[in-house]
Amino acid sequence: MASISLHCVVIGCILLHLAGASPLSDAYPPLWKDCPGQLSDYKVENGKYIINFWHYLERQGAYKILLNETAKYFEKLAPENEQNILWGLPVDHGWQYHTGRLADPTQRTDCGLKSGDHLCISVDSWWADVNFYLSAMPFLAAVDSGIIGIPSDNVTFLPPYKDQMSFCYNVSSCHSSFPEAMKKWNEFYQHLKSDSNSFDDLLKYLWAAHASSLEVVHKNFHNRLKYYSKQEAHFERNWALFVDYLAPPLFPSTLIRTHNFLKGLPTRVLLSGDRVPFISDFTAFQKSVLLALNLLHKVHVYTGTLSFIVWENLMKFKVARKLFLEILEFILHVFD
Ligand SMILES: *[C@@H]1O[C@H](CO)[C@@H](O)[C@H](O)[C@H]1NC(C)=O
Ligand SMILES: *[C@@H]1O[C@H](CO)[C@@H](O)[C@H](O)[C@H]1NC(C)=O
Ligand SMILES: *[C@@H]1O[C@H](CO)[C@@H](O)[C@H](O)[C@H]1NC(C)=O
């Protein structure tokens, strides 16, 4: 009963929401229209397209091409590619940019500062490094799977100024450095291309690939946390944990949903003076989310990660999964 009445409330909210809906472009990441939309917008050298993943427009441009080339697989679900589940990635990256999280946290350079080189993405930023694996790999695996329509050897990335060994620069070197993650992203595209799959199936492959990229990151970039305030470092840790918990329910990372979801996240880098939840420039929603993330981390540690295993198993039940997603949707619309 409880589930049925909640269901009705949720549907009501969604209808209300749609009635007053703003244009989809409001949900696009910052500067989306200025990003390259096709490969021919990038530089070519020796027959290869050169992409600088340490420049905001160029990194977002890779997503933009990816969204464009995969639009046809989602067009039957909603107009304007809104239901494309790859939207989650550029929208999240846009939030990182907008909130100053791609800037140099060591403050030795003006890379990424609003007042400085604002389109620069710093290799010292934990967020930028994590996102590299969630942008470069999905993009190269798409090239490799024939989604982008160019030969695999025709694209290469510029290296960052340091820690070059932690990244990869073309299809073959990413395969050899990060075989598991590349394999998982390839599997996602193979399923996308085959007609015989449900939306939930696609989400399963997407989240498996996502988790596989993050596994690499968790190992490689711990040393970045020291550049941040204790508060921001805890938020990074809690956020990464939360994303692990979002995978089993297969959060549908479509455009509007992800956009609404990100409204709950801090609008700037947390400082050492910030005391959660008493941060005056954050909304009630944002403060609640920070508290909830802290709580999740406490439970996770207290139960010795058993909570995750229980969660994973619970989410294998379709009813539980649907209920969780509906509650989440409900919360998002209440705060919207
Ligand atoms: C891409 O690859 C093909 C064949 O390998 C080559 O002829 C072409 O010049 C390459 N470069 C670009 C930018 O398309
Ligand atoms: C993809 O990009 C091309 C070229 O920029 C554009 O003409 C086309 O409308 C785009 N397709 C979708 C589905 O956005
Ligand atoms: C890919 O990158 C590696 C080094 O990062 C390089 O040795 C190799 O020649 C590149 N392969 C292609 C096809 O560009």
Side-chain angles (χ1 to χ4, degrees):
M1 271 313 276
S3 144
I4 291 171
S5 54
L6 178 66
H7 190 93
C8 298
V9 173
V10 171
I11 299 284
C13 279
I14 292 171
L15 290 177
L16 269 180
H17 186 70
L18 287 178
S22 35
L24 280 190
S25 55
D26 285 3
Y28 289 168
L31 306 177
W32 189 247
K33 69 169 175 19
D34 301 328
C35 298
Q38 43 203 4
L39 275 170
S40 56
D41 295 336
Y42 288 91
K43 261 207 315 265
V44 178
E45 255 170 45
N46 304 323
K48 294 180 201 297
Y49 296 106
I50 312 286
I51 306 183
N52 178 5
F53 263 68
W54 305 96
H55 185 276
Y56 176 72
L57 296 181
E58 295 206 16
R59 196 185 282 203
Q60 281 290 33
Y63 279 136
K64 196 168 166 182
I65 293 167
L66 190 56
L67 264 293
N68 180 290
E69 299 288 350
T70 53
K72 61 174 176 284
Y73 304 108
F74 297 93
E75 67 188 352
K76 58 185 180 297
L77 300 175
E80 295 183 65
N81 205 18
E82 196 279 323
Q83 286 290 301
N84 193 327
I85 54 179
L86 287 166
W87 269 120
L89 299 169
V91 172
D92 188 42
H93 187 50
W95 167 81
Q96 293 165 353
Y97 167 77
H98 173 69
T99 61
R101 287 186 162 81
L102 302 176
D104 180 359
T106 70
Q107 294 169 359
R108 282 194 291 256
T109 68
D110 72 350
C111 175
L113 291 186
K114 290 233 159 65
S115 54
D117 188 359
H118 69 108
L119 295 173
C120 174
I121 297 180
S122 171
V123 67
D124 286 314
S125 156
W126 180 85
W127 297 96
D129 294 336
V130 171
N131 181 262
F132 180 86
Y133 291 85
L134 294 171
S135 52
M137 283 191 202
F139 182 76
L140 286 182
V143 170
D144 199 26
S145 309
I147 295 266
I148 309 289
I150 55 163
S152 289
D153 290 348
N154 269 22
V155 62
T156 186
F157 302 155
L158 293 181
Y161 82 91
K162 64 175 235 197
D163 292 339
Q164 284 98 353
M165 294 302 286
S166 300
F167 305 93
C168 60
Y169 307 101
N170 57 38
V171 170
S172 55
S173 77
C174 287
H175 267 301
S176 50
S177 304
F178 309 106
E180 191 56 25
M182 284 295 282
K183 184 172 138 246
K184 288 274 166 38
W185 283 107
N186 266 319
E187 281 170 7
F188 167 68
Y189 293 117
Q190 293 314 325
H191 280 86
L192 190 62
K193 289 201 303 189
S194 75
D195 284 334
S196 59
N197 51 59
S198 67
F199 191 64
D200 281 359
D201 268 345
L202 285 180
L203 284 169
K204 204 155 65 193
Y205 286 100
L206 176 75
W207 279 103
H210 194 273
S212 180
S213 277
L214 288 185
E215 223 163 88
V216 180
V217 181
H218 287 331
K219 280 181 246 155
N220 285 2
F221 296 104
H222 220 71
N223 62 357
R224 300 294 196 258
L225 296 183
K226 64 174 180 289
Y227 300 137
Y228 295 90
S229 70
K230 192 174 97 227
Q231 283 75 354
E232 179 72 8
H234 282 175
F235 172 60
E236 289 166 3
R237 177 199 67 195
N238 295 350
W239 173 245
L241 178 66
F242 178 67
V243 172
D244 287 345
Y245 274 78
L246 264 189
L250 306 176
F251 177 74
S253 44
T254 55
L255 176 60
I256 299 291
R257 199 177 277 112
T258 309
H259 171 74
N260 286 342
F261 188 69
L262 291 177
K263 286 183 191 162
L265 297 186
T267 44
R268 58 167 174 76
V269 175
L270 298 177
L271 305 172
S272 54
D274 290 332
R275 293 281 168 269
V276 176
F278 308 105
I279 305 178
S280 58
D281 56 335
F282 288 180
T283 63
F285 185 24
Q286 288 158 353
K287 291 185 236 190
S288 316
V289 167
L290 284 177
L291 272 183
L293 292 182
N294 274 338
L295 181 66
L296 176 69
H297 176 255
K298 286 207 176 79
V299 171
H300 187 76
V301 170
Y302 183 75
T303 63
T305 72
L306 180 65
S307 55
F308 184 74
I309 295 162
V310 171
W311 178 247
E312 224 179 359
N313 281 305
L314 184 65
M315 287 301 126
K316 287 184 183 145
F317 294 101
K318 206 168 175 168
V319 180
R321 195 190 135 223
K322 289 273 181 259
L323 182 63
F324 168 75
L325 290 176
E326 280 181 8
I327 292 172
L328 194 62
E329 196 96 348
F330 178 65
I331 295 171
L332 295 182
H333 283 97
V334 166
F335 282 105
D336 189 24

